[in-house]
Amino acid sequence: MLKIGVLALQGAVREHIRQIEELGCRAISVKSAKDLKELNGLVLPGGESTTMRKLLDRYELLEPIRASAAGGVLMFGTCAGLILLAKEIVGYDTPHLGVMDIVVERNSFGRQVDSFEAEMRISGVGEDIPAVFIRAPHIAAAGENVEILAKHEERIVLARYGQFLGCSFHPELTEDFRIMKYFIEMVRENTNVLAH
Ligand code: GLN
């Protein structure tokens, strides 16, 4: 059975765990470096990226997660999780994990409207996928090997860079599991390749 970790420092952890389990995988809540052992995939949930960074430092998780990434563990970042993955953050000198070849901008969908829902068409995933945006970032620029999977108002909101999948919104807050299923398929394919 595939083991998918969910970084459990802050944010919508339980909702991700529920989707992972309903899709037939084992979900591991990750609170310290030892929980990263033997994971096939790792989900970085939404929350507040600056707070999450403080907690990553406090629990000494930043380098171990980077090491897991270097070791080939697939990672899926949603909202603040996307910010954690990015190589560059607009207005900041240094990134957090800095593993995904994208530039992200925080809080990019306006101050008046803190949150909204939209229906997305996602390449390789499907149509009419509900997406909840909460003070969401967007991908302002992407490297040439980044596959752009969805846009909202001309802005990139879902993309894949090899082993990394990142989205601006919160798929875990809906009853539509297709994006998590897509991530789990990525993990499964990768695990099959390693097994042969
Ligand atoms: N605005 C948050 C940040 O910049 C992200 C919001 C979220 O994860 N829902 O970290």
Side-chain angles (χ1 to χ4, degrees):
M1 195 189 259
L2 292 178
K3 276 193 194 169
I4 313 280
V6 180
L7 181 65
L9 301 177
Q10 197 210 23
V13 177
R14 229 175 320 132
E15 291 80 352
H16 280 297
I17 287 180
R18 184 175 74 101
Q19 289 205 357
I20 291 165
E21 287 176 345
E22 289 200 17
L23 290 166
C25 299
R26 188 154 160 227
I28 315 278
S29 134
V30 172
K31 293 193 174 122
S32 68
K34 68 174 183 351
D35 303 324
L36 292 168
K37 277 196 201 120
E38 292 164 38
L39 291 183
N40 304 104
L42 176 65
V43 175
L44 307 166
E48 176 61 40
S49 54
T50 49
T51 308
M52 285 171 86
R53 171 56 190 273
K54 282 185 197 134
L55 295 170
L56 283 170
D57 289 339
R58 184 180 308 160
Y59 294 100
E60 294 175 356
L61 269 164
L62 195 74
E63 285 309 325
I65 293 176
R66 274 202 192 120
S68 295
V73 172
L74 282 84
M75 298 193 180
F76 176 26
T78 63
C79 206
L82 169 74
I83 299 169
L84 294 180
L85 288 175
K87 275 213 169 125
E88 202 179 318
I89 307 165
V90 173
Y92 292 78
D93 293 336
T94 52
H96 302 299
L97 293 165
V99 290
M100 187 169 175
D101 191 14
I102 54 166
V103 180
V104 290
E105 190 170 338
R106 298 178 64 200
N107 306 319
S108 5
F109 290 93
R111 287 191 175 270
Q112 280 95 344
V113 203
D114 255 9
S115 59
F116 60 92
E117 252 188 87
E119 300 261 295
M120 314 288 303
R121 177 167 12 99
I122 300 174
S123 164
V125 180
E127 307 256 330
D128 305 319
I129 297 171
V132 181
F133 290 78
I134 305 169
R135 291 183 297 286
H138 83 286
I139 298 172
E144 61 176 320
N145 294 323
V146 176
E147 190 186 353
I148 292 162
L149 299 174
K151 286 187 175 181
H152 180 68
E153 293 174 351
E154 305 299 311
R155 291 171 161 183
I156 306 168
V157 293
L158 178 67
R160 176 174 177 179
Y161 174 61
Q163 81 202 79
F164 305 107
L165 181 69
C167 76
S168 298
F169 50 89
H170 290 267
E172 79 285 3
L173 299 182
T174 73
E175 289 303 312
D176 194 308
F177 291 14
R178 283 178 286 178
I179 299 179
M180 183 61 85
K181 191 156 178 263
Y182 179 88
F183 176 63
I184 287 172
E185 283 312 313
M186 275 172 61
V187 176
R188 200 181 303 280
E189 272 167 32
N190 182 262
T191 311
N192 288 341
V193 169
L194 293 179
H196 285 103

